[in-house]
Amino acid sequence: MRKITVIEFLTLDGVMQAPGGNEEDISGGFKYGGWTAPYMDDYSGKEMVEQMSLERSELLLGRKTYEIFASYWPHHADNWPGINEVKKYVASRDPSFKPDWENSVLLTGNAANEMKELKHKNGPDLHVWGSGNLVQTLLKYDLVDEFWFKIFPITLGSGKRLFAEGTIPVAFELTDSKISPKGVIFVNFKRSGEVKTGFPA
């Protein structure tokens, strides 16, 4: 069975929308695109390079994130080695959508069933970047094995959030944590079972 890891840039109040650029995603009137930029430094860059390693993984993306990636990374592949060659699964509700980035596979139909089937096939682990709507489905159907978060010392008040209604109660275990000089928290969690409540007697 493959492991599905969700990799996200987050604000302190859980916003994940448009961390990379001003015009990346302005839906809902979002006006803070590129909010990660002031906090990036050499330390964060090194951590990012490690997270972007595609040595033993493939990508699973929602359509919007796929289109953002496909418009940029084919022309900047030197900064993400292997990004053009790796297999990229893209989930879309529109069966007429034709992904044209090399090594892309379109997932149509029932997204939950498609991803359950994909998860249970043999193959490299799957990394999900961004893809807010897709992540909601993964959370609803308990398909997330790990989270890799980069939490930035900023609140935005509005914007698309990672955890929405439909997220099921699940316990996670901390596997790694680091803090950059500019206050970015790199924190990884893995699935550890059901939620437990109360205190021991």
Side-chain angles (χ1 to χ4, degrees):
M1 183 184 297
R2 307 193 205 204
K3 181 171 65 179
I4 295 180
T5 299
V6 171
I7 305 170
E8 302 290 355
F9 298 87
L10 295 174
T11 65
L12 289 175
D13 55 338
V15 173
M16 58 176 290
Q17 187 171 353
N22 293 337
E23 303 299 319
E24 184 178 305
D25 180 4
I26 60 173
S27 60
F30 190 72
K31 58 183 180 180
Y32 299 108
W35 47 268
T36 62
Y39 302 97
M40 299 304 289
D41 54 20
D42 289 343
Y43 183 98
S44 293
K46 180 180 177 182
E47 293 299 318
M48 285 295 302
V49 167
E50 291 186 12
Q51 292 194 354
M52 292 164 71
S53 172
L54 297 169
E55 184 177 350
R56 294 179 299 277
S57 64
E58 296 175 338
L59 298 185
L60 173 60
L61 304 170
R63 177 171 172 176
K64 190 172 191 67
T65 297
Y66 174 87
E67 290 179 328
I68 292 170
F69 277 23
S71 69
Y72 180 84
W73 284 113
H75 315 292
H76 301 84
D78 288 347
N79 295 323
W80 195 345
I83 189 61
N84 288 328
E85 293 77 20
V86 73
K87 186 173 287 186
K88 295 164 279 284
Y89 298 94
V90 53
S92 175
R93 296 186 182 93
D94 181 3
S96 66
F97 173 63
K98 304 296 182 186
D100 55 8
W101 192 3
E102 62 182 286
N103 298 313
S104 295
V105 177
L106 179 63
L107 303 177
T108 58
N110 184 291
N113 290 340
E114 290 269 7
M115 288 183 287
K116 286 178 184 177
E117 182 178 340
L118 190 61
K119 180 177 173 65
H120 285 83
K121 287 182 177 178
N122 291 326
D125 291 339
L126 298 164
H127 285 182
V128 181
W129 290 81
S131 306
N133 291 336
L134 175 66
V135 172
Q136 302 312 310
T137 301
L138 292 171
L139 292 172
K140 181 178 179 180
Y141 291 95
D142 196 16
L143 296 174
V144 177
D145 297 288
E146 293 191 8
F147 287 117
W148 296 355
F149 293 150
K150 294 163 287 292
I151 304 172
F152 288 72
I154 184 175
T155 59
L156 296 180
S158 62
K160 297 176 182 176
R161 285 173 165 78
L162 177 63
F163 297 106
E165 291 187 17
T167 302
I168 64 172
V170 173
F172 285 84
E173 175 185 344
L174 179 70
T175 59
D176 191 30
S177 64
K178 302 172 184 175
I179 303 176
S180 79
K182 291 192 174 183
V184 179
I185 302 170
F186 291 81
V187 60
N188 297 355
F189 298 97
K190 69 177 181 180
R191 182 78 159 79
S192 67
E194 298 181 358
V195 173
K196 298 177 182 179
T197 62
F199 296 93

